[in-house]
CSV table of all heavy atoms in Angstrom, one decimal:
chain,number,residue,atom,x,y,z
A,301,TYR,N,108.9,151.8,112.2
A,301,TYR,CA,109.9,151.1,111.4
A,301,TYR,C,110.1,151.8,110.1
A,301,TYR,O,111.2,151.9,109.6
A,301,TYR,CB,109.4,149.7,111.1
A,301,TYR,CG,110.3,148.9,110.2
A,301,TYR,CD1,111.4,148.3,110.7
A,301,TYR,CD2,110.0,148.8,108.8
A,301,TYR,CE1,112.2,147.6,109.8
A,301,TYR,CE2,110.8,148.2,108.0
A,301,TYR,CZ,111.9,147.5,108.4
A,301,TYR,OH,112.7,146.9,107.6
A,302,HIS,N,109.0,152.4,109.5
A,302,HIS,CA,109.1,153.0,108.2
A,302,HIS,C,109.6,154.4,108.2
A,302,HIS,O,109.8,155.0,107.2
A,302,HIS,CB,107.8,152.9,107.5
A,302,HIS,CG,107.8,153.3,106.0
A,302,HIS,ND1,107.4,154.5,105.6
A,302,HIS,CD2,108.1,152.5,104.9
A,302,HIS,CE1,107.5,154.5,104.3
A,302,HIS,NE2,107.9,153.4,103.8
A,303,SER,N,109.6,155.0,109.4
A,303,SER,CA,109.9,156.4,109.6
A,303,SER,C,108.9,157.3,108.9
A,303,SER,O,109.3,158.3,108.3
A,303,SER,CB,111.4,156.7,109.2
A,303,SER,OG,112.3,156.0,109.9
A,304,GLY,N,107.7,157.0,109.1
A,304,GLY,CA,106.6,157.8,108.4
A,304,GLY,C,105.4,156.9,108.1
A,304,GLY,O,105.4,155.7,108.4
A,305,VAL,N,104.4,157.5,107.5
A,305,VAL,CA,103.2,156.7,107.1
A,305,VAL,C,103.5,155.9,105.9
A,305,VAL,O,103.8,156.5,104.8
A,305,VAL,CB,102.0,157.7,106.9
A,305,VAL,CG1,100.8,156.9,106.5
A,305,VAL,CG2,101.7,158.5,108.2
A,306,PRO,N,103.4,154.6,105.9
A,306,PRO,CA,103.6,153.8,104.7
A,306,PRO,C,102.3,153.7,103.8
A,306,PRO,O,101.2,154.0,104.3
A,306,PRO,CB,104.0,152.5,105.3
A,306,PRO,CG,103.2,152.4,106.5
A,306,PRO,CD,103.1,153.8,107.1
A,307,ASP,N,102.5,153.3,102.6
A,307,ASP,CA,101.3,153.0,101.8
A,307,ASP,C,100.8,151.6,102.2
A,307,ASP,O,101.5,150.6,102.4
A,307,ASP,CB,101.7,152.9,100.3
A,307,ASP,CG,102.1,154.3,99.8
A,307,ASP,OD1,101.8,155.3,100.4
A,307,ASP,OD2,102.8,154.3,98.7
A,308,TYR,N,99.5,151.5,102.4
A,308,TYR,CA,98.9,150.3,102.8
A,308,TYR,C,97.4,150.2,102.4
A,308,TYR,O,96.7,151.3,102.2
A,308,TYR,CB,99.0,150.0,104.3
A,308,TYR,CG,98.3,151.0,105.2
A,308,TYR,CD1,96.9,150.8,105.4
A,308,TYR,CD2,98.9,152.0,105.7
A,308,TYR,CE1,96.2,151.8,106.2
A,308,TYR,CE2,98.3,153.0,106.6
A,308,TYR,CZ,96.9,152.8,106.8
A,308,TYR,OH,96.3,153.7,107.6
A,309,VAL,N,96.8,149.0,102.3
A,309,VAL,CA,95.4,148.8,102.2
A,309,VAL,C,95.1,147.7,103.2
A,309,VAL,O,95.8,146.7,103.2
A,309,VAL,CB,94.9,148.4,100.8
A,309,VAL,CG1,93.5,148.0,100.9
A,309,VAL,CG2,95.1,149.5,99.8
A,310,TYR,N,94.2,147.9,104.1
A,310,TYR,CA,93.9,146.8,105.1
A,310,TYR,C,92.3,146.7,105.2
A,310,TYR,O,91.6,147.6,104.9
A,310,TYR,CB,94.5,147.1,106.4
A,310,TYR,CG,93.6,147.8,107.4
A,310,TYR,CD1,92.9,147.2,108.4
A,310,TYR,CD2,93.5,149.2,107.3
A,310,TYR,CE1,92.1,147.9,109.3
A,310,TYR,CE2,92.7,149.9,108.2
A,310,TYR,CZ,92.0,149.3,109.2
A,310,TYR,OH,91.2,150.0,110.0
A,311,LEU,N,91.9,145.5,105.7
A,311,LEU,CA,90.5,145.3,106.1
A,311,LEU,C,90.4,144.3,107.2
A,311,LEU,O,91.3,143.5,107.4
A,311,LEU,CB,89.7,144.9,104.9
A,311,LEU,CG,89.8,143.4,104.4
A,311,LEU,CD1,88.5,143.0,103.8
A,311,LEU,CD2,91.0,143.3,103.5
A,312,ILE,N,89.3,144.4,107.9
A,312,ILE,CA,89.0,143.5,109.0
A,312,ILE,C,87.9,142.6,108.6
A,312,ILE,O,86.9,143.0,108.1
A,312,ILE,CB,88.6,144.3,110.3
A,312,ILE,CG1,89.7,145.2,110.8
A,312,ILE,CG2,88.2,143.3,111.4
A,312,ILE,CD1,89.3,146.2,111.9
A,313,GLU,N,88.1,141.3,108.8
A,313,GLU,CA,87.1,140.3,108.5
A,313,GLU,C,86.8,139.4,109.7
A,313,GLU,O,87.7,139.3,110.6
A,313,GLU,CB,87.6,139.4,107.3
A,313,GLU,CG,87.5,140.1,106.0
A,313,GLU,CD,87.7,139.1,104.8
A,313,GLU,OE1,88.3,138.1,105.0
A,313,GLU,OE2,87.3,139.4,103.7
A,314,GLY,N,85.7,138.7,109.7
A,314,GLY,CA,85.4,137.8,110.8
A,314,GLY,C,84.1,137.0,110.6
A,314,GLY,O,83.6,136.5,111.5
A,315,LYS,N,83.6,137.0,109.3
A,315,LYS,CA,82.3,136.4,109.1
A,315,LYS,C,82.3,135.1,108.4
A,315,LYS,O,81.3,134.4,108.3
A,315,LYS,CB,81.4,137.4,108.3
A,315,LYS,CG,81.0,138.7,109.0
A,315,LYS,CD,80.3,139.6,108.1
A,315,LYS,CE,79.1,139.0,107.4
A,315,LYS,NZ,78.4,140.0,106.5
A,316,HIS,N,83.5,134.7,107.9
A,316,HIS,CA,83.6,133.5,107.1
A,316,HIS,C,84.7,132.6,107.8
A,316,HIS,O,85.4,133.0,108.7
A,316,HIS,CB,84.0,133.7,105.7
A,316,HIS,CG,85.3,134.3,105.5
A,316,HIS,ND1,85.7,135.6,105.7
A,316,HIS,CD2,86.5,133.7,105.1
A,316,HIS,CE1,86.9,135.8,105.4
A,316,HIS,NE2,87.5,134.6,105.1
Side-chain angles (χ1 to χ4, degrees):
Y301 174 83
H302 192 263
S303 299
V305 179
D307 293 339
Y308 65 81
V309 172
Y310 92 96
L311 75 153
I312 299 172
E313 287 189 338
K315 293 172 58 182
H316 68 281

